[in-house]
Amino acid sequence: MFNSSRSFVLALLSLALAAVILLADSAHAAPFRSVHAVAHSHNTHDRPAQNGTQPAKRYDGARFTYYDAGQNACGSVDSDSAYIIALSPALYNNGEHCYKQVTLQYNGKQVQATVTDECPGCSDSQADLSRPLFAALAPLDQGVIYGQWWFD
């Protein structure tokens, strides 16, 4: 009786360990791409348009995370070195902004990027950035930063 109980416990522990390893491995592949249950309120401001036609909307306090870019929602494949932004479903709006340029700002740094993807777990002005784009603004180990962005 003792041997079968011990075997059962060892098998159970082995399964639990395997599950933990699988979860840790999948979290490592794209550590900050997840469905966000908490909505953040974001301020938007009008900024003068550079071409003088109409003001451009600026999204302040936007939550930026990063992900591994590749096949995108706009129908192409992004390179590992591309500066890509994935917008929330509301702003992506079925591809309305595909291949449009945006400017992101964080901690005194400004970087241009291209919209090519949708972030299903993002709400409002939250966005997922490709790894190189995030790294141009902050170290990857920060994981989450809050900044501004706007369409050029």
Side-chain angles (χ1 to χ4, degrees), residues 9-54:
V9 169
L10 287 174
L12 191 59
L13 287 174
S14 296
L15 286 174
L17 181 60
V20 167
I21 290 170
L22 285 174
L23 288 174
D25 189 44
S26 66
H28 177 67
F32 299 103
R33 179 128 193 186
S34 61
V35 176
H36 304 287
V38 178
H40 299 277
S41 63
H42 301 286
N43 296 324
T44 58
H45 299 282
D46 288 338
R47 188 176 68 77
Q50 293 186 9
N51 61 9
T53 56
Q54 58 180 306

Side-chain angles (χ1 to χ4, degrees), residues 24-143:
D25 189 44
S26 66
H28 177 67
F32 299 103
R33 179 128 193 186
S34 61
V35 176
H36 304 287
V38 178
H40 299 277
S41 63
H42 301 286
N43 296 324
T44 58
H45 299 282
D46 288 338
R47 188 176 68 77
Q50 293 186 9
N51 61 9
T53 56
Q54 58 180 306
K57 187 173 276 193
R58 182 180 70 198
Y59 299 94
D60 293 332
R63 183 179 195 269
F64 298 140
T65 52
Y66 67 87
Y67 74 112
D68 295 315
Q71 178 66 48
N72 63 50
C74 291
S76 60
V77 177
D78 298 316
S79 75
D80 291 341
S81 61
Y83 282 17
I84 299 301
I85 183 170
L87 301 179
S88 67
L91 289 173
Y92 181 77
N93 196 21
N94 294 316
E96 176 185 353
H97 300 293
C98 279
Y99 307 108
K100 289 187 179 174
Q101 298 297 303
V102 299
T103 298
L104 297 93
Q105 184 172 302
Y106 172 74
N107 204 21
K109 298 177 186 176
Q110 276 192 1
V111 182
Q112 272 71 40
T114 304
V115 175
T116 66
D117 215 346
E118 181 177 23
C119 173
C122 295
S123 61
D124 302 323
S125 63
Q126 294 176 349
D128 259 349
L129 314 181
S130 62
R131 282 180 183 260
L133 176 57
F134 190 99
L137 297 169
L140 291 177
D141 61 3
Q142 272 189 259

